[in-house]
Amino acid sequence: MSLARDRVGTWIGWAFFADLASALALTFGYMFSRSVTMQYPDKEKWLPYPRYRGHHFLTRDDEGEIKCVACELCARICPCDCIEVIPYEDDKGSRHPAKFEIDMARCLFCGLCEDACPADAIALGQQYEFSSFSSRDLVVGRDDLLGKPGKARTGGGVVAARLNTEQDVLVETSERRGYNWWRNIRRT
Amino acid sequence: MELIVALGLIAFKVALLIAILLLLPLPLTWLERKIAGRMQQRMGPMRVGWHGLLQPVADGIKLLTKEDHIPAEADRFLFKLAPILALTPPFVVFVAIPFGETVSVLGAEITLYVSNMNVALLFVFAVIGLEVYGVIFGGWAANSKYAVLGSLRTCAQMISYEIPMGFAVIGVVMLAQSMSLLEIVRAQADVWNVVYQPVGFFVFFVAGLAEAQRIPFDLAEAEGDLGAGFHTEYSGIRFAFFMVSEYAIVLLVSVLVVILFFGGWNGILVPLPPLLWFLLKVAFFVYLFIWFRFTFPRYRYDQLMAIGWKVLLPLSMANIIITGVALGAVAAP
């Protein structure tokens, strides 16, 4: 009996488009749910995690001297041959790069240079907004590399974004813990 | 002198109508994209103007400045004619559509319609029927297989759905004892037709969805399997013509549903100005169209034909018979 009643119920539902109505109700509900769009670069942007491989940077030691010893291991291991190092010897007899150039247009951000470096001098940092209209601008020299931001310490946060990337690339995080992707996504 | 004033008034109304119909697709596309975005948890256009409000204007400028490309193998005359043929009928139909009773502006009595034909309904259907030509010519002239397939589908679809659509309104005509849209609305002053004619409304609305080539019946421009249907080869302003005509038809079907089944400008419960009531109802049905579009998948071609011929047509005929019997029973002493 119950089977027959179920069948009748199915037919009644079918005749009055119960399935279509529930579909419409679902989309209507979604219409008033929150959007998951992140409006980059208009309003907000992600901060990269510490593991993120962005723009290279060179580090200094405690005395403010460049850590790089110009061993050229990074240039050797680089799969796309985009690092060029020319060494010199300073007054104290230690080796440093006179020229350290990375062609960001050719770099594939594999991070092998960071792994190969014996002096922990080069690493891939958190900056990723350095697109340019000319590939010539993407050849970055030693002094620029020294000034680049280092690795992110927290990461995953969401901060206010601005179109101008020239300054204030490092903005204070407003959400220091990892951003929850699923926060606004409705799952039924 | 009176003749000149009357003619001037008609010319003004026609110009106003054309301007409104040409401009209305702008907010409608914005609304459609916004609603689509919200339903998919996106935001829709956000960057041009406040919440992307000027996005349709930007799109319009883009379409105007784009290359107006005509395929080398195309039939140039028909190719140029088709967008105009597609654009004209929806505009012409609005001549016969009343938007309200007579209002007095600055002491002068002004009617809210261009003409009150006594066979307005017949006129509406006759002119909507012409819409098919634009589609067929567009598909044929482009000399592309996607376009031809699209226009064949559209052609079959529009012709087969016009029949249940026409039958569905016969019940309304029987109730109002008139084919004038004005009389039909007046006849609904107390009770809306949808109460007496739920089946008629259902058939008319579904057929209207098919006529407007909206999901779930948008076989004509099924972008997944046909490129873009009959306007695959169109670009620039000619494409915009097709788009405008599509929105005008959506609007037209909404207006017709409101006039025929939902009491036109007769309000219920809340005393609002009649024109406002009318616009609110039309807006609801336009929203319904958009809502359907982002809810339902598309029917297969054979399903489309089966719905048209095996479901809607018998339903609309049964509706006529039942309405006739019921009217006879009421009229009989």
Side-chain angles (χ1 to χ4, degrees):
Chain A
M1 277 312 283
S2 70
L3 186 72
R5 201 179 299 136
D6 282 354
R7 199 169 290 162
V8 168
T10 314
W11 274 94
I12 292 173
W14 183 82
F16 286 96
F17 304 103
D19 42 355
L20 298 193
S22 68
L24 284 172
L26 186 75
T27 43
F28 194 70
Y30 266 103
M31 207 180 125
F32 297 102
S33 63
R34 288 190 51 162
S35 140
V36 294
T37 306
M38 199 162 283
Q39 294 181 68
Y40 175 81
D42 287 345
K43 291 217 170 116
E44 64 230 290
K45 71 172 181 189
W46 268 72
L47 281 189
Y49 283 95
R51 60 176 181 265
Y52 184 79
R53 299 201 295 259
H55 200 296
H56 306 251
F57 64 96
L58 288 174
T59 45
R60 296 175 188 277
D61 59 15
D62 296 339
E63 285 131 39
E65 191 60 62
I66 185 165
K67 270 187 181 173
C68 179
V69 291
C71 61
E72 294 180 56
L73 275 179
C74 50
R76 285 289 165 82
I77 203 163
C78 182
C80 38
D81 207 11
C82 66
I83 307 182
E84 191 186 351
V85 188
I86 295 176
Y88 81 101
E89 202 176 300
D90 67 1
D91 312 333
K92 285 179 272 180
S94 47
R95 214 170 121 107
H96 288 302
K99 179 184 176 188
F100 195 107
E101 259 183 16
I102 301 182
D103 189 351
M104 303 304 297
R106 286 167 65 178
C107 177
L108 54 83
F109 303 98
C110 60
L112 280 178
C113 48
E114 182 180 345
D115 292 346
C117 185
D120 285 341
I122 187 169
L124 273 66
Q126 59 176 297
Q127 188 190 359
Y128 54 90
E129 292 160 316
F130 51 90
S131 48
S132 159
F133 286 107
S134 155
S135 58
R136 234 164 263 190
D137 296 346
L138 289 172
V139 180
V140 187
R142 186 190 67 175
D143 296 336
D144 282 339
L145 284 169
L146 279 168
K148 286 295 176 192
K151 288 206 177 283
R153 267 183 293 280
T154 49
V158 175
V159 294
R162 61 208 69 183
L163 279 169
N164 185 4
T165 59
E166 290 288 309
Q167 52 187 345
D168 293 335
V169 178
L170 282 169
V171 220
E172 202 55 36
T173 45
S174 58
E175 194 165 339
R176 293 208 155 267
R177 313 299 295 268
Y179 182 80
N180 182 11
W181 269 113
W182 300 98
R183 195 178 61 184
N184 294 333
I185 295 184
R186 235 183 69 154
R187 283 175 292 181
T188 45
Chain B
M1 188 59 204
E2 272 183 14
L3 187 70
I4 294 171
V5 170
L7 279 178
L9 198 60
I10 287 178
F12 173 72
K13 280 184 203 165
V14 169
L16 192 68
L17 212 54
I18 289 175
I20 290 174
L21 282 176
L22 274 178
L23 288 179
L24 216 56
L26 297 182
L28 277 182
T29 47
W30 178 80
L31 211 62
E32 181 150 18
R33 292 175 64 175
K34 269 300 190 199
I35 292 173
R38 301 304 321 190
M39 282 182 180
Q40 296 160 3
Q41 297 203 316
R42 296 183 287 116
M43 282 176 166
M46 283 298 279
R47 298 196 67 167
V48 193
W50 182 82
H51 278 244
L53 208 52
L54 293 177
Q55 184 70 45
V57 180
D59 285 346
I61 293 169
K62 183 198 75 178
L63 282 174
L64 278 169
T65 50
K66 263 179 127 175
E67 184 193 359
D68 177 23
H69 179 252
I70 300 179
E73 296 292 312
D75 184 331
R76 297 179 73 87
F77 175 68
L78 283 185
F79 194 83
K80 286 176 182 168
L81 187 68
I84 299 162
L85 275 182
L87 190 63
T88 320
F91 280 70
V92 173
V93 170
F94 274 92
V95 165
I97 299 239
F99 295 94
E101 294 284 353
T102 310
V103 291
S104 53
V105 180
L106 303 171
E109 297 281 301
I110 290 176
T111 51
L112 285 177
Y113 43 84
V114 179
S115 76
N116 177 23
M117 301 181 202
N118 51 1
V119 287
L121 210 50
L122 206 59
F123 174 81
V124 166
F125 279 98
V127 178
I128 292 185
L130 294 177
E131 172 71 15
V132 182
Y133 282 109
V135 173
I136 298 179
F137 286 174
W140 177 257
N143 220 339
S144 140
K145 48 181 170 286
Y146 289 127
V148 170
L149 280 174
S151 74
L152 279 176
R153 282 183 180 189
T154 316
C155 181
Q157 176 182 338
M158 286 183 117
I159 290 169
S160 46
Y161 274 81
E162 236 154 56
I163 298 162
M165 203 176 182
F167 278 150
V169 295
I170 291 180
V172 174
V173 174
M174 285 159 99
L175 281 177
Q177 298 289 325
S178 166
M179 285 186 89
S180 154
L181 293 174
L182 209 58
E183 290 302 322
I184 287 175
V185 175
R186 281 175 190 153
Q188 300 176 66
D190 301 323
V191 187
W192 294 356
N193 270 341
V194 70
V195 179
Y196 296 131
Q197 298 277 328
V199 178
F201 160 68
F202 169 73
V203 172
F204 187 88
F205 186 68
V206 174
L209 275 174
E211 283 290 300
Q213 290 159 32
R214 300 281 296 194
I215 277 184
F217 302 110
D218 71 333
L219 273 294
E221 49 199 85
E223 56 273 6
D225 38 314
L226 275 186
F230 61 89
H231 50 54
T232 305
E233 303 291 342
Y234 280 91
S235 59
I237 192 66
R238 289 182 217 281
F239 174 74
F241 276 17
F242 279 117
M243 261 3 234
V244 170
S245 96
E246 203 168 283
Y247 278 104
I249 291 177
V250 168
L251 203 67
L252 176 68
V253 173
S254 309
V255 165
L256 280 180
V257 166
V258 168
I259 285 181
L260 294 175
F261 295 98
F262 280 82
W265 48 87
N266 295 313
I268 43 160
L269 302 177
V270 196
L272 290 173
L275 192 62
L276 194 61
W277 256 117
F278 185 74
L279 292 180
L280 276 178
K281 289 179 197 172
V282 171
F284 171 75
F285 278 100
V286 170
Y287 175 74
L288 208 60
F289 269 89
I290 299 173
W291 187 8
F292 275 22
R293 172 162 177 193
F294 296 105
T295 303
F296 296 138
R298 182 182 303 128
Y299 278 112
R300 231 164 42 216
Y301 188 67
D302 59 318
Q303 290 172 327
L304 173 93
M305 284 296 150
I307 290 171
W309 291 103
K310 292 183 187 163
V311 180
L312 292 187
L313 190 60
L315 264 182
S316 58
M317 282 179 158
N319 186 44
I320 294 171
I321 293 168
I322 291 167
T323 310
V325 170
L327 278 179
V330 169

